[in-house]
Amino acid sequence: MLMVLGCAAILTLWFTWPLAALIGSHVPGRSVDAEQFLWAFWWFREALTARHVSPFSTTMLYYPDGVSLRYFTTNSFHALLSIPFQALLGLVPTFNLIGLAIFVTTCLGMAWLAWDVTGSRAGALLAGIAFAFGPTQIFHWRVGQYNMLSVEFLPLYILALRRLLRSPGWNWRAILAAAVTLACAALCEWQFVIYLGLYSLLAVGAALWAEPRAWRRTLPPAIVAGALALAVLLPYVVPMLRELGGDNPYMLRKEIDTIYHSADVAEFFLPNPVSPLWGAWAQRATDALSAPGIIATVVSTSYVMLALALLGALTHWRAARFWVLVGAIFWALSLGPRLKWFGTSTDIPLPYLALFQLKIVQITRFPARYFMITEICLAVLAAFGVATLLRAGASGQLARWRVALVALAGVLLVFELWPAPRFAEPLAPVPSFYADGTLAQAGAILEQPNPSNRGMYFQTFHQRPVLWGELSRDNPAGPLLSELRDSPPPTQPDLLDPTRNWQCTLAQLHITHAVRYPS
């Protein structure tokens, strides 16, 4: 594991360069979603250590109504982890260091799973690299989606469940490991519970199929592990279910929104779209398959990993068939409710359509993300392929050729996954009056027009309530907030004139300052 750790650390620095040299002044994905997660990290610390309130609702956004953050992608696990480091290092360095650490821990977790399944150390190393630094994870990194980047607990949960199901009796270490990793994965991104829940049904079902008479040693421990994780998450889950069952379930998404974010069959055959060599062509091809204005989740994968996975599946079929089956099922789910075929949307229904009837699934709008479980399965199969190339029995010149072939596969894999080093973006310039104490005694701030997630980032400096916010599951504004957002006209020079009625409203709500942004 020391070799895996060293390789993971080196590749993390290389693949994300120059962020390590700009740790306090740049972030990945600033132009997309990073500012939301910067705000979430700041808000968790502010809510828990300064205000002593729940971090899952706030009046700092959507003022004066306030807003629920239950379905906001807060990345709660890492937001909690960041609190002590924010005090020591600051918000931005902490944010970046956690992102870098995610790559390392994901590589370690995937390698551990692959080694446990295949027994191949070299295969485990390649599997860890292929999953942690695959195009899907680099995509989530470069658009600043820390919730979807935080996949380090997915292979760890699969490993814990595997050991639980293979234990001869009640293996409490495996039960607790499965419960903890499932809970941590849910706190990184609650959608992961859906993925891991489906995987668990398949894994438990396969264990019962293989040994139906041994159900007493497989089914009850798995149920206990799930129950323990649920018990930990109940304070988190119950309010979410209450909101979901309310009169206005704002978080639900329509089928067409889900189709927009489904994978096209052709996308799986495209090479890495951020390669410095062929990435421009691959990105244009990817964009051509997506609806205008939609940032499509990247589902490209490594051709080297696919070749090794095919070899592993063919040569270790009895041990590999479960991973082939699970990978195929999640690949089908990533295609969404209706087939998209080489840029053409069809009405052909797919398995995801049945899943979409569940409200909890309707909240999610990115079926393409189910492919992450397929990537784990492919990484395991690739480790089988490496094990085949290095299998015992070869000696002399043949053994050296096999080792050389595996080394070449590793080099080609890294070369194929290598992203262009352009994802570190400078932080947005902060207006001086937000950071110099001018607003230290201010009330709420009326911003016009909507500053989106940039305004959330600015709030980490001025720390005053604002009327806007960019939420991943946007709550509808009430009539008062809608009126405040739209009126008075932003060009009106006497906005705070005490002789006007608007001043009465603003004073009553303690809105003391107005900020006009250039359009």
Side-chain angles (χ1 to χ4, degrees), residues 28-157:
R30 188 212 73 183
S31 57
V32 187
D33 286 339
E35 288 167 324
Q36 292 185 33
F37 290 95
L38 279 168
W39 180 89
F41 280 31
W42 166 80
W43 172 241
F44 259 69
R45 182 189 176 200
E46 178 73 11
L48 294 175
T49 65
R51 300 173 185 263
H52 307 294
V53 297
S54 168
F56 296 110
S57 63
T58 185
T59 56
M60 294 295 285
L61 307 177
Y62 281 58
Y63 182 85
D65 293 348
V67 67
S68 169
L69 300 175
R70 295 288 175 184
Y71 289 94
F72 177 52
T73 51
T74 52
N75 192 213
S76 304
F77 178 85
H78 293 114
L80 287 168
L81 182 65
S82 76
I83 290 175
F85 296 100
Q86 288 187 51
L88 294 172
L89 305 173
L91 174 61
V92 174
T94 297
F95 180 80
N96 286 327
L97 286 172
I98 287 177
L100 296 174
I102 289 171
F103 281 111
V104 176
T105 53
T106 299
C107 187
L108 288 171
M110 185 65 240
W112 193 0
L113 170 63
W115 176 78
D116 191 74
V117 175
T118 68
S120 171
R121 295 183 184 277
L125 175 59
L126 264 67
I129 293 172
F131 178 62
F133 300 99
T136 302
Q137 298 315 313
I138 294 296
F139 164 77
H140 289 134
W141 166 259
R142 67 187 176 94
V143 297
Q145 294 177 347
Y146 267 42
N147 60 323
M148 302 311 301
L149 177 69
S150 305
V151 294
E152 65 265 42
F153 291 105
L154 300 188
L156 289 176
Y157 170 76

Side-chain angles (χ1 to χ4, degrees), residues 219-241:
L219 190 58
I223 293 174
V224 169
L228 289 174
L230 179 60
V232 173
L233 296 171
L234 270 180
Y236 186 76
V237 171
V238 171
M240 291 182 70
L241 294 178

